[in-house]
Amino acid sequence: RSTDNGSSFSTVTSPTSNELRGVGFGNNTFVAVGTSGTIVRSTDNGSSFDNVTSPTSTTLWGVTFGNNTFVGVGESGTIVRSTDNGSYFHNVTSPTANSLYDVGFGNYTFVGVGTSGTIVRSTENGASFSTVTSPTSTTLWGVGFGNYTFVGVGNSGTIVRSTDNGSSFDNVTSPTSTTLWGVTFGNNIFVGVGNSGTIVRSTDNGSSFDNVT
């Protein structure tokens, strides 16, 4: 945890020894998820965390917040959802059995990505999801949103992009063949990161990416 804008970090006592794979924030609440369906929650700015009863024993890889809702995703297509600030989670019927590794939110839409290019989408606040036709069969590890655009990244430098609220995705020419694990958006720029210190960047809303030295 850092309270000085990331200049320094201190450890926080954890209520679990399980691996934690993803963390999200919303409504003054941090929620982290991990192996064996682990969910932990903090309502005091990350000073302390408590276990949350999980509706699944399946590993959860990612969690995000949007429209007063936390959504977590994981192996075997698992999707969980909380509408009470992370106090309680329940399972959401998933349209896929493929593992989902990350989930993003933007413009009242949740988008999850995963194995074999799997993409799922919810426009009902995470209450239900449907599959989206994917332009790739390559595993996608991360997804980000900005400027009405979703960008997903994955194995072999794969980059996909949607400008219609996640209804459809297209491949983007990638400057790398190295696996990309995550992507985020800020100040009108998408930045993706991956193996061997790889960093890619887009300044045109994800239409094209360049390597960053």
Side-chain angles (χ1 to χ4, degrees):
R1 170 182 183 255
S2 172
T3 58
D4 58 4
N5 230 29
S7 296
S8 63
F9 280 79
S10 58
T11 56
V12 177
T13 301
S14 177
T16 182
S17 59
N18 290 342
E19 290 180 12
L20 297 172
R21 299 283 175 87
V23 62
F25 176 82
N27 267 2
N28 297 313
T29 302
F30 287 97
V31 170
V33 298
T35 57
S36 303
T38 300
I39 304 173
V40 299
R41 171 182 180 256
S42 171
T43 57
D44 60 3
N45 250 15
S47 295
S48 64
F49 281 79
D50 295 307
N51 283 307
V52 176
T53 301
S54 179
T56 182
S57 60
T58 302
T59 291
L60 299 169
W61 281 81
V63 61
T64 195
F65 179 87
N67 207 29
N68 292 313
T69 303
F70 282 99
V71 171
V73 298
E75 293 178 0
S76 304
T78 301
I79 304 173
V80 298
R81 173 181 182 253
S82 171
T83 57
D84 60 1
N85 237 28
S87 297
Y88 172 79
F89 280 79
H90 64 268
N91 285 308
V92 177
T93 300
S94 179
T96 183
N98 289 342
S99 292
L100 299 170
Y101 296 124
D102 197 17
V103 59
F105 177 85
N107 206 26
Y108 300 100
T109 303
F110 287 96
V111 170
V113 298
T115 301
S116 302
T118 301
I119 304 173
V120 299
R121 171 182 181 256
S122 173
T123 56
E124 298 177 348
N125 222 30
S128 65
F129 281 78
S130 58
T131 55
V132 177
T133 300
S134 179
T136 182
S137 60
T138 302
T139 292
L140 298 170
W141 292 103
V143 62
F145 178 86
N147 256 6
Y148 299 99
T149 302
F150 283 98
V151 171
V153 298
N155 285 349
S156 304
T158 300
I159 304 174
V160 298
R161 172 182 182 254
S162 171
T163 57
D164 59 3
N165 241 26
S167 296
S168 64
F169 281 78
D170 296 307
N171 283 308
V172 177
T173 301
S174 179
T176 183
S177 60
T178 302
T179 291
L180 298 170
W181 290 91
V183 60
T184 194
F185 179 88
N187 206 24
N188 288 317
I189 295 171
F190 281 99
V191 172
V193 296
N195 285 350
S196 304
T198 300
I199 304 172
V200 298
R201 173 179 181 257
S202 172
T203 58
D204 58 5
N205 227 32
S207 296
S208 63
F209 280 78
D210 295 310
N211 284 309
V212 178
T213 303

